[in-house]
C-alpha cells in the first residue's frame, strides 16, 4: 500500500469547511483539478459521483463514509487499484481547523499512481482555506 498525507490549518471552523465539502458541484471553486463533477444522490455514505479532471477521462468514485463536520472518505476503483482519499477536519484549540487529506492506494502501480493523485493537494488545500476563511 502507498500512502500520503497533506494538511493545512485554517481559522475557519469545521462547520465552515464542511459547507464547502458538502457542496460537491462547488468543489470546482477550490479544486482546479476538476473540470466537471456530478453527485448522483445526497452527500452521504454510498453515493457515487463522477469527476472529470481537465484533459482526462471522467471516472466514478463512491462516498464510503460521510460524517458531518468531521470529514468524508471517497473511494475510486480502477484497473486493480483502490484509491481512498480521507478528507478530515480536526478542531484546533484556538477554534480553527486542521484540514487533513490522507490518501491510501492499493494495487500493482500504487507507487506510480500515488504522486499523480496527490500532486495538487497543497494548492487544493490552500484554495479551500482561502475560500473557507473568506466566507467566514
Amino acid at each position: 500500500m502507498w500512502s500520503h498525507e497533506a494538511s493545512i490549518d485554517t481559522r475557519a471552523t469545521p462547520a465552515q469547511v464542511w459547507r464547502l465539502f458538502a457542496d460537491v458541484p462547488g468543489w470546482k471553486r477550490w479544486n482546479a483539478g476538476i473540470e466537471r463533477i456530478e453527485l448522483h444522490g445526497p452527500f452521504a455514505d454510498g453515493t457515487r459521483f463522477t469527476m472529470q479532471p481537465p484533459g482526462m477521462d471522467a471516472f466514478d468514485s463512491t462516498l464510503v463514509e460521510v460524517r458531518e463536520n468531521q470529514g468524508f472518505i471517497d473511494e475510486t476503483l480502477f484497473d486493480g487499484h483502490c484509491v481512498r482519499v480521507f478528507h478530515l477536519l480536526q478542531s484546533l484549540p484556538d477554534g480553527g481547523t486542521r484540514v487533513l487529506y490522507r490518501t491510501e492506494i492499493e494495487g500493482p502501480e500504487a507507487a506510480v499512481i500515488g504522486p499523480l493523485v496527490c500532486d495538487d493537494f497543497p494548492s487544493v488545500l490552500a484554495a479551500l482555506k482561502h475560500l473557507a476563511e473568506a466566507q467566514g
Side-chain angles (χ1 to χ4, degrees):
M1 178 174 36
W2 184 92
S3 65
H4 177 267
E5 285 190 2
S7 67
I8 197 165
D9 292 352
T10 175
R11 67 177 182 269
T13 66
Q16 289 170 308
V17 179
W18 181 257
R19 282 194 293 276
L20 297 173
F21 278 172
D23 176 22
V24 175
W27 289 1
K28 294 188 309 183
R29 294 179 15 214
W30 48 270
N31 187 335
I34 299 173
E35 181 176 307
R36 181 179 60 83
I37 191 161
E38 182 180 357
L39 185 65
H40 305 288
F43 190 63
D45 295 5
T47 299
R48 288 181 32 259
F49 63 92
T50 302
M51 186 166 85
Q52 181 177 1
M56 298 177 68
D57 292 334
F59 60 87
D60 290 327
S61 298
T62 303
L63 297 169
V64 294
E65 185 175 305
V66 178
R67 300 294 174 261
E68 186 173 355
N69 298 330
Q70 296 175 28
F72 70 96
I73 304 166
D74 64 59
E75 181 177 86
T76 306
L77 305 174
F78 67 96
D79 297 335
H81 294 86
C82 177
V83 178
R84 282 184 206 90
V85 182
F86 299 70
H87 309 75
L88 306 174
L89 303 176
Q90 302 168 339
S91 295
L92 297 174
D94 67 358
T97 305
R98 175 164 294 137
V99 183
L100 173 71
Y101 278 21
R102 176 173 174 77
T103 305
E104 297 177 354
I105 303 177
E106 297 175 19
E109 299 294 321
V112 174
I113 294 167
L116 300 173
V117 171
C118 301
D119 185 49
D120 66 345
F121 283 5
S123 61
V124 168
L125 288 168
L128 177 64
K129 172 185 176 169
H130 178 76
L131 189 56
E133 291 177 354
Q135 292 184 349

